[in-house]
Amino acid sequence: MFKTHTCGELRHTHAGHTVQLAGWVHRRRDHGGVIFIDLRDRFGLTQVVINPTHTSASDFKRSESIRNEFVLQIEGEVALRPEGMSNTKVATGAIEVMASKVTILNPAKTPPFMIDDDGDNVDEAMRLRYRYLDLRRERMSRNLNIRHRLIKFMRDYLDQRGFLEVETPILFKSTPEGAREYLVPSRVHPGEFYALPQSPQQLKQLLMVGGIERYFQIARCFRDEDQRADRQPEFTQLDMEMSFIDRDDILALVEGLLTQFCEDFAELHGRSLMFKPFLRLPFHEVMERYGRDKPDVRYGMELFDVSAATRGSEFLPFQVANVKGICVQGCAGYTRKQTDELTEFAKKAGAKGLVVLWHDADGVRKSGAGTKLSDAEKTAITAAAGSKAGDLILLVADDDRERANNALGELRHELGIRLKLGKPDQLAFLWVVDFPSFVRDSETGHWAANHHLFTAPKDEYLDNLEADPGAARSKQYDLVCNGYEVAGGSIRIHRRDVQERVMKILGLSMEEAYKKFGHMLDAFEYGAPPHGGIAPGVDRLAMLFAGAPNIREVIAFPKNQQAADVMLGVPSPAAEKQIKELHIRLA
RNA sequence: GGAGAUGUGGUGUAGCGGCCUAACAUGUCGCCCUGUCACGGCGAAGACCGCGGGUUCGAAUCCCGUCAUUUCCGCCA
């Protein structure tokens, strides 16, 4: 061992002990006659004093060449700091180590950016190119620690409840129903391919047929889709599946896990739960109130409906079936230019236009056609909006209610971000339940599974499933936090006949269905238990707990928006020999 | 596939038509310094402003293109 203690460990009680420390030079302060070094390892900082009174002349001479990020081993005696010299900002601030021996284990070039600077002020491309240096910074060390705590907590929590962790293969079967996949050519089977799993969905259901009953896995998933701040080509989910349970059992389990984690590790992330228990709303209500299936519910600004009050309005835009709006508090000072910009935004989000009302001391005012609004309408609007002087009211009118909801939902979301309405230290969890089973593909007009084709419709819709697919609600559930989808799952279909009916509605011929999912259909015939599951996203949860702006901050080696790793040079061309062996040819 | 933002010494920024022979902070290097902890003092080096083209008497600054990074839309069963 190079060290007897970590750099975060020594206290005044260690005074007089001879210790060995090893780590990196965080900062050095060379006073000519005496040199102070803040020695850093993952556990903290300890001040090392290199003084000729304690150190040999040759060691002192050599110590003058020490620079930041050199790797050192220090042997010395722990001493209480002189009277009035302790540093309360550091855990080890009461002591210092008087070096008797200084060993330079490895010198270091000057880093391209500062390690002792914890701010978010270095270009991310630079940080990723030198990720091994970035990881030394406190922010990354802290984020990875939070991630580790979360995963450890998940494992322990589920283990205590009888779950079995099972690994499923990474070399899997292509299932082109879902996201675009990463393909791996087979050397042994010319012209055939493995696919990396988008999720272990089918395998975990087969584990249920296999009698595992309670399964989980910290599962890596792969999707070859374009990146976002909360999306990486490979990401990690807490994949879970249970047999002989219903929806509420799963919700209670996950809610319990996350609630307890937040409470046990509050000191770690400084964030608190806003809702205990979590909010729970049906999908249609979420859309009516927030206009978005993953709303940030840390703030209100809910959609209101004035369709009844505007019926028969003289104001042309209001002569439609639905008039809904949001009230933006304190924004009556917005200029015409600003509201025009909001109108543009609303149009991009699908609205035909945006009616803007300024609620000021004299009442409700509107530029242009404002006079067409009757006093009764204005009163009804301010009542529904709950607005007061100083607020801005935004209204969207549309015969298509969904379109009005969506546009307002986008506006609400955008304004929530711009106005910083969500408090960063709060976590607002919301369960969204009772999703539609099927949605119509806007291009083909065909029915598509809202979640995936293994999701069970609620029992009361089974009789009319084929007659009216659009009316069916499913046993799907999503968990939303601060505007992010952090988990999704469902109770699954466990009977072959129901599964085949759903496949038929989705337009799969029985031949196709059997070719793609025959293993599932077969398995369901051998006593598949009722089962369901969920998959909380580990990266997104860690991001929220760490207060990070994107999931790259909680992933040690993330890829950039081009799905590349600039440090490693990934992806890279393959040798001709390899390509040949795989029986593929480049275009 | 589309839209926006950004790109200036090692790093982070300022400058946004002539005052730029490019400023500031920090880092780096040299000298000095035995109680600092974002140590301090003195001095020095370091960028032709992502790249290419254009407009102009004159471009870091305006325009076009391109590349890179990023955010969002599409996409993400």
Side-chain angles (χ1 to χ4, degrees):
Chain A
M1 290 283 274
F2 283 70
K3 48 168 97 177
T4 58
H5 296 78
T6 72
C7 291
E9 198 175 347
L10 297 171
R11 298 290 182 274
H12 67 276
T13 50
H14 294 91
H17 295 200
T18 296
V19 298
Q20 286 179 336
L21 297 179
W24 289 263
V25 176
H26 192 60
R27 265 191 285 266
R28 92 199 141 91
R29 293 177 292 282
D30 185 344
H31 286 237
V34 62
I35 302 169
F36 296 95
I37 285 174
D38 291 337
L39 197 67
R40 182 195 70 237
D41 63 15
R42 183 160 69 77
F43 306 94
L45 290 175
T46 298
Q47 174 162 285
V48 173
V49 183
I50 303 175
N51 189 322
T53 57
H54 292 67
T55 317
S56 71
S58 62
D59 269 18
F60 187 82
K61 182 81 188 137
R62 200 146 20 87
S63 297
E64 290 181 319
S65 72
I66 290 170
R67 293 294 179 270
N68 283 350
E69 299 308 314
F70 273 35
V71 187
L72 304 184
Q73 184 186 32
I74 300 293
E75 189 173 304
E77 190 176 308
V78 179
L80 291 176
R81 299 233 186 147
E83 190 71 25
M85 291 291 175
S86 53
N87 183 347
T88 51
K89 282 184 276 186
V90 187
T92 59
I95 55 92
E96 58 197 5
V97 172
M98 304 301 293
S100 53
K101 210 166 130 201
V102 178
T103 310
I104 297 176
L105 297 172
N106 206 353
K109 282 168 68 171
T110 303
F113 50 83
M114 256 158 276
I115 309 296
D116 65 354
D117 174 343
D118 201 35
D120 183 21
N121 53 5
V122 180
D123 184 67
E124 197 184 358
M126 179 67 63
R127 293 174 52 206
L128 290 180
R129 182 148 39 244
Y130 296 95
R131 191 58 151 184
Y132 45 85
L133 295 178
D134 192 43
L135 290 171
R136 289 184 195 166
R137 309 209 302 168
E138 210 240 321
R139 63 187 270 132
M140 283 308 298
S141 160
R142 181 179 149 273
N143 286 353
L144 291 182
N145 190 37
I146 289 173
R147 186 188 178 103
H148 162 75
R149 285 287 147 221
L150 176 63
I151 291 175
K152 165 114 169 69
F153 187 87
M154 288 169 165
R155 282 207 161 95
D156 291 345
Y157 189 92
L158 295 173
D159 176 57
Q160 284 159 16
R161 285 159 181 77
F163 281 76
L164 202 63
E165 182 168 8
V166 180
E167 292 158 277
T168 54
I170 296 296
L171 293 176
F172 187 55
K173 180 185 162 90
S174 177
T175 52
E177 298 300 300
R180 195 177 294 127
E181 298 167 320
Y182 285 96
L183 282 178
V184 180
S186 164
R187 175 181 60 81
V188 184
H189 303 274
E192 297 187 2
F193 296 82
Y194 303 94
L196 307 185
Q198 315 163 32
S199 110
Q201 180 62 37
Q202 297 180 42
L203 293 161
K204 68 175 171 177
Q205 287 192 243
L206 294 170
L207 286 173
M208 293 305 103
V209 182
I212 300 298
E213 289 199 38
R214 293 177 164 229
Y215 143 89
F216 83 96
Q217 177 179 199
I218 307 297
R220 193 65 63 85
C221 305
F222 304 85
R223 292 178 191 173
D224 186 7
E225 297 290 351
D226 287 348
Q227 311 307 303
R228 288 285 190 283
D230 63 347
R231 277 166 28 185
Q232 279 275 301
E234 53 180 304
F235 59 100
T236 306
Q237 295 197 320
L238 169 60
D239 195 52
M240 299 159 65
E241 197 78 4
M242 280 177 278
S243 298
F244 308 114
I245 42 83
D246 57 33
R247 183 191 76 185
D248 289 355
D249 297 317
I250 293 180
L251 302 197
L253 180 85
V254 172
E255 185 163 334
L257 189 158
L258 291 173
T259 301
Q260 204 178 319
F261 178 77
C262 288
E263 288 172 355
D264 287 6
F265 294 95
E267 82 285 354
L268 195 66
H269 46 73
R271 287 178 161 70
S272 60
L273 287 176
M274 205 166 156
F275 302 113
K276 220 172 77 174
F278 295 175
L279 289 186
R280 188 184 298 191
L281 294 171
F283 173 78
H284 74 89
E285 187 179 340
V286 170
M287 295 310 289
E288 283 296 324
R289 287 170 61 181
Y290 301 103
R292 200 167 197 265
D293 64 358
K294 40 178 194 279
D296 190 341
V297 291
R298 284 176 298 175
Y299 54 89
M301 199 159 74
E302 291 186 20
L303 279 55
F304 59 84
D305 186 351
V306 288
S307 307
T310 54
R311 198 137 299 148
S313 175
E314 304 220 332
F315 182 48
L316 192 65
F318 283 179
Q319 292 166 10
V320 292
N322 303 289
V323 180
K324 295 193 67 172
I326 54 173
C327 171
V328 192
Q329 290 183 359
C331 287
Y334 270 30
T335 61
R336 186 61 198 268
K337 193 177 163 192
Q338 283 172 295
T339 59
D340 280 352
E341 196 261 333
L342 289 179
T343 303
E344 274 313 299
F345 184 89
K347 281 184 179 167
K348 271 190 195 155
K352 297 238 173 63
L354 190 66
V355 176
V356 181
L357 300 179
W358 285 264
H359 190 156
D360 54 30
D362 304 326
V364 173
R365 156 174 78 78
K366 181 185 179 312
S367 64
T371 49
K372 295 255 182 73
L373 282 181
S374 70
D375 285 345
E377 282 176 290
K378 287 182 181 173
T379 308
I381 289 170
T382 53
S387 67
K388 55 189 186 312
D391 295 346
L392 190 72
I393 299 170
L394 306 176
L395 297 153
V396 171
D398 204 309
D399 277 320
D400 185 335
R401 191 171 183 87
E402 216 173 286
R403 201 156 54 193
N405 283 340
N406 286 337
L408 285 167
E410 290 307 307
L411 267 176
R412 177 182 179 276
H413 183 67
E414 177 69 17
L415 287 165
I417 290 168
R418 286 192 201 175
L419 302 171
K420 295 184 169 57
L421 296 182
K423 291 200 181 104
D425 58 349
Q426 284 189 314
L427 297 167
F429 283 100
L430 161 70
W431 287 110
V432 183
V433 298
D434 296 345
F435 282 84
S437 280
F438 307 104
V439 289
R440 243 188 226 286
D441 187 307
S442 53
E443 280 170 28
T444 62
H446 295 155
W447 290 108
N450 190 38
H451 184 45
H452 57 57
L453 77 178
F454 305 113
T455 300
K458 293 184 96 174
D459 301 341
E460 58 265 39
Y461 297 100
L462 279 178
D463 288 345
N464 267 325
L465 211 54
E466 287 82 358
D468 189 2
R473 301 271 158 81
S474 75
K475 296 180 181 172
Q476 180 198 342
Y477 32 82
D478 276 1
L479 182 62
V480 172
C481 182
N482 296 7
Y484 292 94
E485 182 191 326
V486 293
S490 62
I491 300 296
R492 327 294 184 189
I493 296 165
H494 65 283
R495 291 172 51 123
R496 178 166 182 154
D497 56 338
V498 178
Q499 187 67 71
E500 286 186 347
R501 286 172 64 195
V502 166
M503 288 173 165
K504 208 172 277 175
I505 290 170
L506 296 174
L508 279 173
S509 71
M510 277 307 101
E511 195 189 344
E512 256 180 299
Y514 197 79
K515 202 165 149 195
K516 287 176 181 166
F517 303 110
H519 51 284
M520 301 295 288
L521 295 170
D522 285 345
F524 288 166
E525 291 195 303
Y526 288 97
H531 63 284
I534 189 166
V538 169
D539 311 285
R540 287 182 188 170
L541 285 170
M543 167 185 85
L544 287 163
F545 290 139
N550 62 60
I551 61 171
R552 297 184 298 275
E553 296 295 321
V554 295
I555 298 173
F557 299 106
K559 293 188 173 48
N560 69 11
Q561 199 172 42
Q562 269 53 251
D565 183 319
V566 287
M567 176 178 68
L568 302 169
V570 173
S572 58
E576 211 168 303
K577 179 167 175 284
Q578 285 179 301
I579 292 179
K580 211 166 173 183
E581 277 178 349
L582 293 170
H583 320 286
I584 53 177
R585 206 169 347 126
L586 298 183

mmCIF file of all heavy atoms in Angstrom, chain A residues 349-375:
data_model
loop_
_atom_site.group_PDB
_atom_site.id
_atom_site.type_symbol
_atom_site.label_atom_id
_atom_site.label_comp_id
_atom_site.label_asym_id
_atom_site.label_seq_id
_atom_site.Cartn_x
_atom_site.Cartn_y
_atom_site.Cartn_z
ATOM 1 N N ALA A 349 -45.478 25.014 -32.512
ATOM 2 C CA ALA A 349 -45.977 23.905 -31.690
ATOM 3 C C ALA A 349 -47.353 23.447 -32.167
ATOM 4 O O ALA A 349 -47.989 22.628 -31.510
ATOM 5 C CB ALA A 349 -46.020 24.314 -30.224
ATOM 6 N N GLY A 350 -47.822 24.001 -33.264
ATOM 7 C CA GLY A 350 -49.060 23.507 -33.851
ATOM 8 C C GLY A 350 -50.261 24.409 -33.716
ATOM 9 O O GLY A 350 -51.311 24.131 -34.291
ATOM 10 N N ALA A 351 -50.149 25.499 -32.949
ATOM 11 C CA ALA A 351 -51.297 26.388 -32.768
ATOM 12 C C ALA A 351 -51.531 27.198 -34.045
ATOM 13 O O ALA A 351 -50.599 27.474 -34.795
ATOM 14 C CB ALA A 351 -51.055 27.327 -31.590
ATOM 15 N N LYS A 352 -52.799 27.566 -34.260
ATOM 16 C CA LYS A 352 -53.098 28.412 -35.421
ATOM 17 C C LYS A 352 -52.591 29.822 -35.162
ATOM 18 O O LYS A 352 -52.236 30.567 -36.060
ATOM 19 C CB LYS A 352 -54.612 28.444 -35.641
ATOM 20 C CG LYS A 352 -55.182 27.081 -35.980
ATOM 21 C CD LYS A 352 -55.892 27.112 -37.323
ATOM 22 C CE LYS A 352 -56.315 25.718 -37.755
ATOM 23 N NZ LYS A 352 -57.296 25.131 -36.833
ATOM 24 N N GLY A 353 -52.612 30.194 -33.884
ATOM 25 C CA GLY A 353 -52.154 31.520 -33.494
ATOM 26 C C GLY A 353 -52.199 31.608 -31.993
ATOM 27 O O GLY A 353 -52.450 30.606 -31.308
ATOM 28 N N LEU A 354 -51.907 32.802 -31.488
ATOM 29 C CA LEU A 354 -51.893 32.976 -30.048
ATOM 30 C C LEU A 354 -52.596 34.296 -29.742
ATOM 31 O O LEU A 354 -52.270 35.330 -30.314
ATOM 32 C CB LEU A 354 -50.449 33.010 -29.547
ATOM 33 C CG LEU A 354 -50.217 32.944 -28.038
ATOM 34 C CD1 LEU A 354 -50.663 31.601 -27.486
ATOM 35 C CD2 LEU A 354 -48.740 33.164 -27.735
ATOM 36 N N VAL A 355 -53.598 34.214 -28.861
ATOM 37 C CA VAL A 355 -54.267 35.440 -28.432
ATOM 38 C C VAL A 355 -53.639 35.870 -27.119
ATOM 39 O O VAL A 355 -53.602 35.101 -26.167
ATOM 40 C CB VAL A 355 -55.781 35.215 -28.269
ATOM 41 C CG1 VAL A 355 -56.450 36.478 -27.726
ATOM 42 C CG2 VAL A 355 -56.398 34.799 -29.593
ATOM 43 N N VAL A 356 -53.109 37.089 -27.109
ATOM 44 C CA VAL A 356 -52.387 37.577 -25.933
ATOM 45 C C VAL A 356 -53.210 38.657 -25.253
ATOM 46 O O VAL A 356 -53.656 39.607 -25.894
ATOM 47 C CB VAL A 356 -51.013 38.149 -26.340
ATOM 48 C CG1 VAL A 356 -50.274 38.634 -25.098
ATOM 49 C CG2 VAL A 356 -50.208 37.111 -27.091
ATOM 50 N N LEU A 357 -53.447 38.487 -23.969
ATOM 51 C CA LEU A 357 -54.152 39.502 -23.188
ATOM 52 C C LEU A 357 -53.243 39.995 -22.075
ATOM 53 O O LEU A 357 -52.614 39.189 -21.378
ATOM 54 C CB LEU A 357 -55.420 38.912 -22.571
ATOM 55 C CG LEU A 357 -56.474 38.348 -23.511
ATOM 56 C CD1 LEU A 357 -57.646 37.794 -22.719
ATOM 57 C CD2 LEU A 357 -56.948 39.388 -24.509
ATOM 58 N N TRP A 358 -53.167 41.300 -21.955
ATOM 59 C CA TRP A 358 -52.405 41.891 -20.859
ATOM 60 C C TRP A 358 -53.366 42.220 -19.733
ATOM 61 O O TRP A 358 -54.331 42.966 -19.942
ATOM 62 C CB TRP A 358 -51.695 43.163 -21.308
ATOM 63 C CG TRP A 358 -50.500 42.945 -22.168
ATOM 64 C CD1 TRP A 358 -49.212 42.905 -21.766
ATOM 65 C CD2 TRP A 358 -50.465 42.752 -23.592
ATOM 66 N NE1 TRP A 358 -48.369 42.700 -22.829
ATOM 67 C CE2 TRP A 358 -49.108 42.605 -23.962
ATOM 68 C CE3 TRP A 358 -51.445 42.678 -24.597
ATOM 69 C CZ2 TRP A 358 -48.707 42.392 -25.276
ATOM 70 C CZ3 TRP A 358 -51.043 42.479 -25.905
ATOM 71 C CH2 TRP A 358 -49.693 42.332 -26.233
ATOM 72 N N HIS A 359 -53.127 41.666 -18.578
ATOM 73 C CA HIS A 359 -53.979 41.989 -17.435
ATOM 74 C C HIS A 359 -53.231 43.027 -16.590
ATOM 75 O O HIS A 359 -52.285 42.701 -15.887
ATOM 76 C CB HIS A 359 -54.253 40.725 -16.618
ATOM 77 C CG HIS A 359 -55.306 40.912 -15.562
ATOM 78 N ND1 HIS A 359 -56.041 39.881 -15.043
ATOM 79 C CD2 HIS A 359 -55.755 42.021 -14.936
ATOM 80 C CE1 HIS A 359 -56.887 40.341 -14.139
ATOM 81 N NE2 HIS A 359 -56.720 41.640 -14.055
ATOM 82 N N ASP A 360 -53.649 44.295 -16.715
ATOM 83 C CA ASP A 360 -52.977 45.327 -15.917
ATOM 84 C C ASP A 360 -53.983 46.000 -15.001
ATOM 85 O O ASP A 360 -55.134 45.561 -14.882
ATOM 86 C CB ASP A 360 -52.214 46.316 -16.799
ATOM 87 C CG ASP A 360 -53.091 46.924 -17.871
ATOM 88 O OD1 ASP A 360 -54.303 47.049 -17.617
ATOM 89 O OD2 ASP A 360 -52.567 47.243 -18.954
ATOM 90 N N ALA A 361 -53.550 47.062 -14.362
ATOM 91 C CA ALA A 361 -54.373 47.700 -13.327
ATOM 92 C C ALA A 361 -55.744 48.108 -13.857
ATOM 93 O O ALA A 361 -56.740 48.092 -13.116
ATOM 94 C CB ALA A 361 -53.646 48.908 -12.754
ATOM 95 N N ASP A 362 -55.814 48.445 -15.145
ATOM 96 C CA ASP A 362 -57.094 48.889 -15.711
ATOM 97 C C ASP A 362 -57.948 47.727 -16.193
ATOM 98 O O ASP A 362 -58.994 47.933 -16.801
ATOM 99 C CB ASP A 362 -56.837 49.829 -16.904
ATOM 100 C CG ASP A 362 -55.972 50.999 -16.495
ATOM 101 O OD1 ASP A 362 -56.110 51.432 -15.338
ATOM 102 O OD2 ASP A 362 -55.158 51.451 -17.320
ATOM 103 N N GLY A 363 -57.503 46.521 -15.994
ATOM 104 C CA GLY A 363 -58.267 45.372 -16.449
ATOM 105 C C GLY A 363 -57.549 44.661 -17.586
ATOM 106 O O GLY A 363 -56.338 44.798 -17.733
ATOM 107 N N VAL A 364 -58.325 43.933 -18.367
ATOM 108 C CA VAL A 364 -57.732 43.131 -19.424
ATOM 109 C C VAL A 364 -57.691 43.914 -20.720
ATOM 110 O O VAL A 364 -58.677 44.492 -21.150
ATOM 111 C CB VAL A 364 -58.528 41.830 -19.619
ATOM 112 C CG1 VAL A 364 -58.019 41.083 -20.834
ATOM 113 C CG2 VAL A 364 -58.394 40.961 -18.397
ATOM 114 N N ARG A 365 -56.562 43.908 -21.341
ATOM 115 C CA ARG A 365 -56.330 44.719 -22.526
ATOM 116 C C ARG A 365 -55.742 43.807 -23.575
ATOM 117 O O ARG A 365 -55.053 42.833 -23.304
ATOM 118 C CB ARG A 365 -55.382 45.844 -22.112
ATOM 119 C CG ARG A 365 -54.550 46.506 -23.158
ATOM 120 C CD ARG A 365 -53.834 47.681 -22.481
ATOM 121 N NE ARG A 365 -52.698 47.226 -21.687
ATOM 122 C CZ ARG A 365 -51.528 46.876 -22.213
ATOM 123 N NH1 ARG A 365 -51.355 46.891 -23.503
ATOM 124 N NH2 ARG A 365 -50.527 46.507 -21.439
ATOM 125 N N LYS A 366 -56.031 44.186 -24.803
ATOM 126 C CA LYS A 366 -55.504 43.392 -25.903
ATOM 127 C C LYS A 366 -55.174 44.351 -27.010
ATOM 128 O O LYS A 366 -55.892 45.337 -27.209
ATOM 129 C CB LYS A 366 -56.580 42.405 -26.363
ATOM 130 C CG LYS A 366 -56.119 41.527 -27.490
ATOM 131 C CD LYS A 366 -57.222 40.651 -28.007
ATOM 132 C CE LYS A 366 -56.699 39.815 -29.155
ATOM 133 N NZ LYS A 366 -55.964 40.628 -30.142
ATOM 134 N N SER A 367 -54.092 44.092 -27.709
ATOM 135 C CA SER A 367 -53.804 44.976 -28.826
ATOM 136 C C SER A 367 -54.684 44.567 -29.989
ATOM 137 O O SER A 367 -55.163 43.451 -30.061
ATOM 138 C CB SER A 367 -52.330 44.899 -29.195
ATOM 139 O OG SER A 367 -52.035 43.611 -29.648
ATOM 140 N N GLY A 368 -54.914 45.476 -30.924
ATOM 141 C CA GLY A 368 -55.680 45.156 -32.119
ATOM 142 C C GLY A 368 -57.138 44.867 -31.824
ATOM 143 O O GLY A 368 -57.854 45.715 -31.306
ATOM 144 N N ALA A 369 -57.544 43.641 -32.106
ATOM 145 C CA ALA A 369 -58.964 43.294 -32.093
ATOM 146 C C ALA A 369 -59.559 43.175 -30.697
ATOM 147 O O ALA A 369 -60.630 42.624 -30.528
ATOM 148 C CB ALA A 369 -59.177 41.990 -32.845
ATOM 149 N N GLY A 370 -58.869 43.654 -29.721
ATOM 150 C CA GLY A 370 -59.300 43.479 -28.336
ATOM 151 C C GLY A 370 -60.717 43.903 -28.060
ATOM 152 O O GLY A 370 -61.415 43.323 -27.225
ATOM 153 N N THR A 371 -61.166 44.921 -28.779
ATOM 154 C CA THR A 371 -62.500 45.445 -28.508
ATOM 155 C C THR A 371 -63.591 44.428 -28.802
ATOM 156 O O THR A 371 -64.691 44.534 -28.304
ATOM 157 C CB THR A 371 -62.744 46.686 -29.373
ATOM 158 O OG1 THR A 371 -62.378 46.354 -30.714
ATOM 159 C CG2 THR A 371 -61.900 47.843 -28.883
ATOM 160 N N LYS A 372 -63.261 43.428 -29.625
ATOM 161 C CA LYS A 372 -64.277 42.444 -29.980
ATOM 162 C C LYS A 372 -64.615 41.512 -28.829
ATOM 163 O O LYS A 372 -65.599 40.790 -28.887
ATOM 164 C CB LYS A 372 -63.793 41.603 -31.179
ATOM 165 C CG LYS A 372 -63.623 42.384 -32.461
ATOM 166 C CD LYS A 372 -64.761 42.071 -33.423
ATOM 167 C CE LYS A 372 -64.614 42.787 -34.754
ATOM 168 N NZ LYS A 372 -63.547 42.196 -35.569
ATOM 169 N N LEU A 373 -63.754 41.510 -27.827
ATOM 170 C CA LEU A 373 -64.024 40.657 -26.681
ATOM 171 C C LEU A 373 -65.024 41.353 -25.754
ATOM 172 O O LEU A 373 -64.807 42.492 -25.356
ATOM 173 C CB LEU A 373 -62.734 40.371 -25.909
ATOM 174 C CG LEU A 373 -61.784 39.331 -26.488
ATOM 175 C CD1 LEU A 373 -60.580 39.163 -25.576
ATOM 176 C CD2 LEU A 373 -62.475 38.003 -26.697
ATOM 177 N N SER A 374 -66.089 40.668 -25.443
ATOM 178 C CA SER A 374 -67.089 41.265 -24.557
ATOM 179 C C SER A 374 -66.571 41.286 -23.129
ATOM 180 O O SER A 374 -65.649 40.553 -22.780
ATOM 181 C CB SER A 374 -68.379 40.453 -24.623
ATOM 182 O OG SER A 374 -68.160 39.198 -24.006
ATOM 183 N N ASP A 375 -67.165 42.151 -22.327
ATOM 184 C CA ASP A 375 -66.768 42.224 -20.920
ATOM 185 C C ASP A 375 -67.011 40.882 -20.232
ATOM 186 O O ASP A 375 -66.229 40.452 -19.398
ATOM 187 C CB ASP A 375 -67.541 43.331 -20.192
ATOM 188 C CG ASP A 375 -67.004 44.700 -20.591
ATOM 189 O OD1 ASP A 375 -65.894 44.750 -21.162
ATOM 190 O OD2 ASP A 375 -67.698 45.713 -20.350
#
